[in-house]
Amino acid sequence: MGDNLADMLPEEAITLGARPSDWREAITVAGDALTASGATTDEYTREMIAAVEELGPYIVIAPGLALAHSRPSPSVLRAGLSWVTLSEPIEFGSPNDPVTLVIGLAATAQDGHLEVMSSLAGILADEDQMTQLEDADSPARLRELLTRFSASGD
Amino acid sequence: MKKILTVCGMGIGTSLILKNNTEKVLRGLGQDREIDVEAADIGTARGAARTADVVLISQELVEQLGDVHSKVIVINNFLSLDEIKSKLEPELEL
């Protein structure tokens, strides 16, 4: 388990400017990024989509932001995050539509990633930091910003 | 000690973010020592709500929670400290 946000989000898990055609494809891009970074198998992507089919689009937790995730399962190889920005906003059927950022989350235990979620919550709620993250033009730049922001948190 | 329950579908993502931001709001109100915040997934939330004074939950999940004795508050933007504070503060009756 990585101790900070950037450890859980390698460059392979970052996709900037994706063009999915609907919410399932948007979650699939986030799932593929988790798989590419070695955090999950493809099955986890299906589980994330099934979670929305079952429980509704509650993963759209704030205007423009979907936190795609399912529960810990054998398809999670290690805890990880993915970060997918969308060129065209996508409707999830949520009051917080449309979505422009999908963050994928895979966890191995329900309480093993509390610190990372805490620093993620702090960054996502910080408008100034989010503006800088939206402007990041490469995965390396995005990770650099996240490392700095998570160190300055709390 | 009062207890606030934050609920999401899986108990690993959104409810933790909501718990974190609720704790921040309580710190701002000087109430963090008096009030406990606990996160739960929708499957265990009904049981956990028995001992909670307030439940914070999203619109999509509130129907699945069903009837509970606690005060249920729907939060739309889990990242908005202002929304959490304005909806929670009147229920705290300190």
Side-chain angles (χ1 to χ4, degrees), chain B residues 6-39:
Chain B
T6 62
V7 180
C8 78
M10 302 297 165
I12 67 154
T14 34
S15 60
L16 293 183
I17 286 184
L18 187 55
K19 171 180 147 80
N20 197 264
N21 286 334
T22 302
E23 285 170 343
K24 256 184 226 162
V25 166
L26 293 175
R27 275 201 294 278
L29 295 169
Q31 294 297 321
D32 52 312
R33 286 173 193 281
E34 285 75 29
I35 301 174
D36 229 17
V37 186
E38 196 179 294

Side-chain angles (χ1 to χ4, degrees), chain A residues 117-132:
Chain A
M117 292 309 288
S118 166
S119 77
L120 183 63
I123 291 167
L124 297 175
D126 186 315
E127 279 180 33
D128 180 51
Q129 292 184 345
M130 282 307 284
T131 304
Q132 292 186 58

Side-chain angles (χ1 to χ4, degrees), chain A residues 5 10 14 20 25 27 37 39 52 61 65 74-75 80 96 109 111 116 132 134-135 142:
Chain A
L5 217 52
I14 300 169
E25 274 187 35
I27 291 179
S37 71
V52 174
I61 60 169
L65 170 68
S75 56
N96 290 319
D111 56 359
V116 167
Q132 292 186 58
E134 280 160 17
D135 290 343
L142 185 79

Side-chain angles (χ1 to χ4, degrees), chain B:
Chain B
M1 160 88 73
K2 279 194 172 238
K3 191 167 105 179
I4 297 172
L5 190 69
T6 62
V7 180
C8 78
M10 302 297 165
I12 67 154
T14 34
S15 60
L16 293 183
I17 286 184
L18 187 55
K19 171 180 147 80
N20 197 264
N21 286 334
T22 302
E23 285 170 343
K24 256 184 226 162
V25 166
L26 293 175
R27 275 201 294 278
L29 295 169
Q31 294 297 321
D32 52 312
R33 286 173 193 281
E34 285 75 29
I35 301 174
D36 229 17
V37 186
E38 196 179 294
D41 63 89
I42 187 71
T44 57
R46 272 185 78 81
R50 264 184 228 124
T51 56
D53 302 282
V54 175
V55 175
L56 301 181
I57 191 167
S58 64
Q59 183 66 53
E60 290 86 355
L61 296 177
V62 71
E63 267 186 39
Q64 297 183 49
L65 181 68
D67 285 331
V68 292
H69 284 296
S70 338
K71 172 74 185 180
V72 177
I73 300 175
V74 170
I75 302 291
N76 295 314
N77 182 347
F78 281 31
L79 297 178
S80 168
L81 300 184
D82 288 343
E83 180 181 349
I84 296 169
K85 184 179 175 204
S86 67
K87 290 182 173 172
L88 191 58
E89 206 172 5
E91 304 303 329
L92 295 180
E93 281 305 305
L94 309 160

